[in-house]
């Protein structure tokens, strides 16, 4: 490997990390150094490039330790047979970069992943050493997200959880057959075993904290994972079902979806074109339906078409409502929260405001219009004191009435 300076390594390894989507920093414990002790913070603002689900604007130094890898996963630009320029940081170089960027107020934390070098255990040791040195040698109190290696020694993964806020272990692909085809050196049982072990360690850490104040705070932001969408033949129904299983079995904080992106010198087994980014967006919406709107996974899957794919032109909640019209209209002045959450166009905050307000007044159509972006989308599905959609939900052309209008792009726009 040619000798590269730090700037060149950073250019290569930061670019290589862009394919990893799981870097939100929400959910961790609050730490700061405003008392003059330590360095860094999980609060506050910096130069920001991402938003956490709780609305905080965050910035992370997002890099790989190295883009060299002994594995040859077809979908990965850093695979062994890829003809990309290679670079590698030492653990101490990553530590110094993190501290230097933090002191310049460029970042609020570190997201660190790596290709597999020498062996899984050796790579995991290097990742742990970065987090350990930041925490113990420099008293770094900022956010740390470590991407762990599934087949590394469980003790190394446990050590990662002692220093990192969030741990993530990628399931890579939604189906076992897809993983066997595109990443034959990885094992689905091994990945799930690592996730199960991390779940147990997080729960043990929480129990210990309840009994002993001095117990270490183990991976307080929990664990997450990422699936690649569109690299294999898995349908949206397969992906939603897999995500639901992961949430249930491993108590994940988040499942991230990353639309497959064609890479240079791609393997012949990969599709030639990337899936539409809207597909990734619809999967995130379906994820929200399960986590915040009370939809069961099977109900989300029912919103998909006969081919198992969610429609791209309308969101999954509207697609479900159009398929199951017998559940509508919903009386906004009487219905319980779980029914209100099924109304297309009404979010959780709007529903909560509606429930608080209707204790003092009865809602009209104009009142509901103030809670939403498009009353036209909601109108066929609700009843108010002055509105009832007579026969509207039975109309054959209802979809065209409520679907977003397609806009013609300007050919000569600046």
């Amino acid at each position: 490997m040619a000798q590269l300076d730090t700037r060149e390594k950073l250019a290569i390894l930061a670019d290589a990390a862009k394919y990893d989507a799981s870097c939100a920093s929400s959910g961790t414990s609050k730490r700061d150094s405003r008392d003059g002790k330590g360095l860094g913070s999980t609060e506050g603002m910096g130069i920001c490039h991402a938003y956490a689900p709780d609305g905080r604007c965050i910035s992370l130094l997002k890099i790989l330790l190295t883009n060299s890898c002994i594995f040859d996963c077809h979908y990965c630009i850093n695979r062994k047979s890829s003809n990309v320029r290679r670079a590698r940081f030492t653990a101490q170089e990553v530590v110094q970069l993190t501290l230097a960027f933090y002191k310049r107020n460029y970042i609020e934390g570190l997201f660190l992943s790596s290709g597999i070098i020498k062996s899984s255990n050796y790579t995991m040791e290097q990742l742990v050493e970065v987090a350990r040195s930041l925490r113990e040698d420099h008293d770094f109190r900022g956010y740390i997200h470590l991407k762990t290696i599934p087949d590394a020694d469980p003790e190394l993964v446990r050590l990662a959880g002692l220093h990192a806020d969030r741990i993530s272990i990628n399931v890579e692909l939604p189906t076992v057959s897809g993983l066997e085809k595109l990443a034959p050196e990885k094992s689905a049982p091994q990945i799930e075993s690592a996730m199960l072990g991390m779940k147990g360690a997080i729960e043990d850490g929480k129990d210990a904290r309840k009994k002993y104040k001095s117990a270490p705070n183990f991976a307080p932001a929990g664990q997450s994972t990422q699936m690649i969408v569109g690299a294999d033949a898995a349908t949206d129904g397969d992906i939603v079902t897999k995500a639901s299983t992961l949430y249930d079995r491993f108590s994940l904080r988040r499942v991230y979806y990353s639309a497959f992106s064609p890479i240079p010198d791609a393997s012949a087994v990969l599709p030639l074109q990337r899936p539409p980014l809207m597909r990734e967006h619809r999967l995130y919406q379906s994820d929200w339906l399960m986590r915040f709107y009370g939809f069961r996974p099977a109900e989300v899957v029912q919103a998909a078409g006969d081919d198992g794919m969610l429609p791209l032109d309308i969101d999954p909640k509207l697609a479900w409502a159009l398929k199951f019209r017998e559940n509508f209209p919903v009386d906004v002045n009487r219905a319980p929260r779980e029914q209100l959450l099924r109304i297309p166009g009404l979010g959780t905050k709007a529903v909560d405001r509606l429930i608080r307000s209707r204790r003092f007044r009865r809602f009209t159509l104009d009142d509901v219009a103030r809670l939403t972006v498009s009353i036209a989308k909601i109108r066929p599905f609700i009843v108010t004191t002055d509105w009832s959609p007579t026969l509207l939900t039975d109309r054959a052309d209802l979809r065209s009435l409520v679907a977003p209008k397609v806009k013609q792009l300007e050919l000569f726009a600046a």
Side-chain angles (χ1 to χ4, degrees):
M1 189 180 296
Q3 291 295 317
L4 304 173
D5 63 26
T6 302
R7 186 185 296 270
E8 291 173 313
K9 290 181 185 177
L10 192 57
I12 294 170
L13 296 174
D15 184 70
K18 69 186 177 185
Y19 298 97
D20 213 316
S22 51
C23 62
S25 72
S26 62
T28 189
S29 56
K30 294 180 179 179
R31 294 188 305 268
D32 64 56
S33 53
R34 285 177 292 184
D35 58 0
K37 297 177 182 177
L39 174 72
S41 169
T42 55
E43 303 294 303
M45 305 287 286
I47 297 176
C48 306
H49 64 90
Y51 285 88
D54 59 2
R56 283 188 304 121
C57 195
I58 58 170
S59 57
L60 302 175
L61 174 59
K62 184 179 176 184
I63 55 173
L64 300 185
L65 188 69
T66 178
N67 63 344
S68 296
C69 192
I70 60 176
F71 286 0
D72 205 27
C73 305
H74 290 284
Y75 52 81
C76 182
I77 193 171
N78 301 318
R79 68 190 188 281
K80 181 172 60 179
S81 58
S82 177
N83 186 29
V84 297
R85 198 178 181 195
R86 308 287 180 173
R88 176 182 170 183
F89 280 127
T90 65
Q92 281 308 306
E93 283 178 320
V94 176
V95 170
Q96 294 305 319
L97 270 176
T98 304
L99 296 176
F101 279 126
Y102 187 84
K103 289 176 180 177
R104 288 175 173 85
N105 196 30
Y106 293 168
I107 61 167
E108 295 171 79
L110 171 68
F111 175 93
L112 184 61
S113 183
S114 179
I116 312 295
I117 40 175
K118 293 186 181 179
S119 68
S120 298
N121 282 344
Y122 176 79
T123 307
M124 198 66 224
E125 286 172 1
Q126 300 301 301
L127 294 173
V128 171
E129 173 57 18
V130 171
R132 185 210 64 77
S133 180
L134 281 169
R135 294 289 193 226
E136 296 183 358
D137 299 341
H138 302 279
D139 200 10
F140 182 70
R141 302 185 182 193
Y143 183 84
I144 298 178
H145 181 158
L146 287 186
K147 185 63 66 71
T148 63
I149 314 298
D151 55 344
D153 189 303
E155 177 59 17
L156 287 170
V157 178
R158 190 190 69 82
L159 288 175
L162 288 177
H163 301 298
D165 293 278
R166 174 164 288 183
I167 295 295
S168 54
I169 303 168
N170 284 355
V171 296
E172 308 290 0
L173 293 157
T175 62
V176 173
S177 59
L179 190 69
E180 290 173 347
K181 179 182 178 183
L182 299 180
E185 290 153 305
K186 294 186 175 176
S187 159
Q190 208 163 40
I191 293 171
E192 294 191 353
S193 175
M195 297 172 81
L196 195 61
M198 182 55 64
K199 176 192 174 188
I202 292 171
E203 290 175 347
D204 290 345
K206 288 179 179 176
D207 289 341
R209 294 277 293 178
K210 290 177 183 175
K211 296 177 181 175
Y212 310 105
K213 285 187 177 179
S214 59
N217 206 1
F218 189 90
Q223 64 169 327
S224 61
T225 192
Q226 175 175 311
M227 277 189 276
I228 299 171
V229 175
D232 64 353
T235 65
D236 291 344
D238 296 331
I239 295 170
V240 167
T241 303
K242 178 70 175 182
S244 168
T245 304
L246 294 172
Y247 280 123
D248 289 343
R249 289 188 62 197
F250 308 117
S251 303
L252 298 184
R253 285 291 181 88
R254 286 291 304 274
V255 175
Y256 292 87
Y257 308 97
S258 178
F260 163 70
S261 179
I263 53 179
D265 303 321
S267 165
V269 301
L270 292 173
L272 296 176
Q273 289 187 326
R274 66 184 304 165
L277 282 177
M278 184 56 74
R279 185 182 174 193
E280 181 184 299
H281 180 61
R282 296 301 184 212
L283 286 169
Y284 276 114
Q285 288 178 319
S286 69
D287 199 82
W288 245 244
L289 291 184
M290 291 189 288
R291 296 169 62 205
F292 303 114
Y293 288 79
F295 279 75
R296 295 191 302 276
E299 291 178 310
V300 177
V301 173
Q302 286 172 336
D306 295 337
D307 58 356
M309 305 298 281
L310 293 168
L312 298 179
D313 59 332
I314 58 174
D315 63 77
K317 192 176 174 186
L318 178 57
W320 184 87
L322 289 171
K323 265 192 169 182
F324 300 97
R325 301 184 189 186
E326 64 273 18
N327 295 285
F328 301 95
V330 172
D331 187 341
V332 298
N333 289 299
R334 295 175 179 273
R337 186 173 189 273
E338 52 268 28
Q339 281 188 7
L340 295 174
L341 288 173
R342 301 278 169 141
I343 300 172
L346 275 189
T348 54
K349 289 183 178 178
V351 167
D352 290 341
R353 286 178 60 190
L354 192 153
I355 290 174
R356 284 196 302 271
S357 300
R358 74 181 184 182
R359 288 183 294 177
F360 309 104
R361 58 180 299 177
R362 294 185 58 78
F363 268 69
T364 65
L365 196 61
D366 286 342
D367 294 329
V368 178
R370 296 188 190 97
L371 297 174
T372 182
V373 175
S374 171
I375 190 64
K377 180 178 177 181
I378 294 180
R379 197 159 41 197
F381 302 102
I382 62 173
V383 171
T384 65
T385 55
D386 59 346
W387 166 258
S388 181
T390 309
L391 301 179
L392 198 51
T393 51
D394 295 330
R395 288 182 58 156
D397 62 345
L398 181 58
R399 181 186 177 114
S400 63
L401 293 177
V402 296
K405 305 302 178 193
V406 177
K407 294 180 181 178
Q408 172 66 51
L409 296 176
E410 294 183 33
L411 293 175
F412 304 103

